Amino acid sequence: MSGSPEHIDKPEPRGQAVLAFLAIGAIYLALPRDLIVGPIWLFPTLIVVLLVPTVVSHRVGKHSLNRTLGFIINGITTLALIGSVILLVRTLPSHRESPLQLLRSGGLLWLTNVIVFALWYWRLDGGGPTLRQKEKKFGSTSFLFPQMQIPRDERPEFACVRWRPRFVDYLFVAFTQSSTFGPTDAPLLARWAKVLAMIQILISLTIVVLLISRAVGVL
């Protein structure tokens, strides 16, 4: 156990979040042209262009700039997601997509929804990853993760004495919420988290309802 705190206290890796943004850009390119807002190259280009100064500002310690750029890129991905879902709703009555194409499009947008809101939870919880690392607080301030519910004297047994949530933990929260249309093992504590969760669940529910209605129409 002596080496565990040192390992946990290392700065939170940002590579997972960067890969998440790149995955969103790749998914966007895989969508049908009818579900893309603006030129097909615009959104992925914006992501790459904004990611570079975001990563650099974090490396050089410009935390305010990093946080601002993070909000901007999160906002752009959210608007792109909502725009594509709206286009999917408008496309459904025209039957321009085959059932297989619609299923593929819905699945891609559902996955994008999971990643986009995981990035929001990761970015906002406890003031963001930089502040969470600086204050070295146990657990989260907006979500009640299972590790936080373990009595303090029992935490060494579960190897979570200095546990803090990472991006994968927020990804799991977003995935389960989109799958079950509600919080599961990590109850929501903060009001902003509840508002974002409602938006995420609404988008997920819209996609699923559209796919089911189209499938019933085909039968």
Side-chain angles (χ1 to χ4, degrees):
M1 295 295 296
S2 60
S4 179
E6 294 181 1
H7 173 73
I8 295 177
D9 283 345
K10 288 182 179 179
E12 181 177 347
R14 301 298 179 95
Q16 295 172 345
V18 173
L19 289 176
F21 280 118
L22 294 177
I24 292 174
I27 292 172
Y28 199 76
L29 290 175
L31 288 173
R33 186 63 185 88
D34 292 342
L35 302 185
I36 295 178
V37 180
I40 191 171
W41 53 266
L42 180 59
F43 177 67
T45 302
L46 281 175
I47 287 183
V48 174
V49 169
L50 288 172
L51 270 181
V52 173
T54 302
V55 173
V56 171
S57 61
H58 170 66
R59 291 296 183 95
V60 300
K62 302 290 184 178
H63 300 309
S64 295
L65 177 60
N66 174 265
R67 184 173 174 82
T68 300
L69 291 172
F71 281 130
I72 292 174
I73 193 170
N74 274 28
I76 290 175
T77 55
T78 305
L79 291 176
L81 168 64
I82 294 175
S84 293
V85 172
I86 291 174
L87 291 177
L88 180 65
V89 173
R90 294 178 58 183
T91 300
L92 189 64
S94 65
H95 301 287
R96 283 181 289 181
E97 289 193 40
S98 67
L100 184 59
Q101 288 176 324
L102 181 64
L103 180 63
R104 178 173 173 270
S105 300
L108 290 174
L109 289 177
W110 185 90
L111 181 59
T112 303
N113 186 41
V114 171
I115 300 175
V116 165
F117 282 90
L119 287 165
W120 275 118
Y121 301 145
W122 173 78
R123 174 67 62 182
L124 293 174
D125 187 24
T130 300
L131 187 59
R132 289 197 302 269
Q133 170 62 31
K134 181 179 178 180
E135 296 186 354
K136 298 181 179 180
K137 290 183 178 179
F138 175 84
S140 163
T141 60
S142 304
F143 302 88
L144 188 61
F145 288 99
Q147 290 87 343
M148 299 167 59
Q149 303 177 52
I150 300 175
R152 188 177 299 275
D153 57 343
E154 296 180 13
R155 289 172 187 171
E157 180 181 349
F158 295 93
C160 62
V161 175
R162 302 289 297 278
W163 182 89
R164 287 194 298 275
R166 306 291 190 181
F167 177 74
V168 173
D169 298 295
Y170 298 106
L171 183 64
F172 180 77
V173 169
F175 180 86
T176 54
Q177 288 184 162
S178 284
S179 303
T180 63
F181 308 121
T184 52
D185 71 327
L188 310 178
L189 303 178
R191 291 188 177 93
W192 67 261
K194 295 177 182 178
V195 171
L196 284 184
M198 286 190 290
I199 297 173
Q200 179 197 348
I201 293 169
L202 177 62
I203 293 174
S204 180
L205 187 59
T206 300
I207 295 171
V208 171
V209 169
L210 286 176
L211 295 180
I212 293 176
S213 63
R214 183 68 171 92
V216 172
V218 171
L219 296 177

